[in-house]
Amino acid sequence: MTAARVLVLNSGSSSLKYQLLDMRDGERLAVGLVERIGEVTSRLVHTPLTGGSAGKRERTSPVADHSAALKAVAEELALDGLGLDSPELAAVGHRVVHGGLKFTEPTLITDEVLAEVERLIPVAPLHNPANITGIRTAQALRPDLPQVAVFDTAFHSTMPESAARYAIDVETADAHRIRRYGFHGTSHAYVSRKTAALLDKDPSEVNVIVLHLGNGASASAVAGGRCVDTSMGLTPLEGLVMGTRSGDIDPAVTFHLKRVAGMSADEIDELLNRKSGLVGLCGDNDMREIRRRIDEGDERAQLAFDIYIHRLKKYIGAYYAILGRVDAIAFTAGVGENAAPVREAAVAGLEELGLTLDLELNAVRSEEARIVSAADARVAVAVVPTDEELEIAQQTFALVAPEGVV
């Protein structure tokens, strides 16, 4: 029997998320998370999803590093008969945030690939080091197994130069790899294809604006299955208002803060990435809490929500202009999938663009992909739960599976 399982790893600086999938039918066999790696009290939550295994299991004990975390994950999987030594395991698929211009497809990891991912650390200092750690840890445990990198930036590599270039000196930009790369690419790829399927069309026939709204948030304009613009840039800071990130801001703000407030580059970085966005505006980055405060008459929460929606509308309008024709707008990720008031506010007043919600459909909570626009709306509004792990697993298996198996 051909090995058909893929272990998907998403390594953060102090966390390790994982899923084990059977690619014959896309079934999830187990999911889990190790958090607070390197701290005094680490936590592993493991949930087997197949066979006769018991439900969710938790460990609370020190996990020194990612190597120890993956070994603990392997132990949990082995308890369910899903160990990493299984001959049914075909590959490990790794989420890698930044692939630069070099990596535009899922890539079999070699020493040369790792070296290039390391060279990209200056433009992804929070993410690429953790991704590299996860890769090296998995390689040490299963050196015989194919390891595949799936890059967040890859889906956006189809952007034309007119969208990808910043208007700065070309030699300086090229010397320091300064351009717009975009992120959340696996989500945008999955959701744009799923939206086309909802419309019963091939992705090549559909123009979609994808709004990935979580604590991190990004928008993309997808024309016929290819990204032509996206809101995040050199780093994930650019674009929409996010949970803790400012999104678009006049670059001169940084100079002003240095000159007038005496802030260092690191302090400004901390401000814009961790102390801005919704949390900077009102002290909360949880949309549920913000909506609760609005219902109680909280003016700061209302202003934060209004700024968030204003930025969303700007990007919807901009991407409508870029695409020329829009068949659907798709909301995804934690806020996009669950916050009906955000969807309602984002398209309110855009009836002339063909956008009209069915308020009853929009209010329904569901884990299924669905259309929530009015029956006579010219542009469909969709809610599409994202599945980045499945996307990574599919891309990984397509690369390593014997011909004819996929």
Side-chain angles (χ1 to χ4, degrees), residues 194-208:
K194 193 78 172 178
T195 303
L198 273 179
L199 301 179
D200 200 24
K201 293 184 178 181
D202 188 88
S204 64
E205 303 174 310
V206 176
N207 289 356
V208 184

Side-chain angles (χ1 to χ4, degrees), residues 52 107 152 204 217 240 243 266 270 303 330 349 393:
T107 303
D152 268 16
S204 64
L240 302 175
D266 286 344
E270 175 79 5
L303 178 60

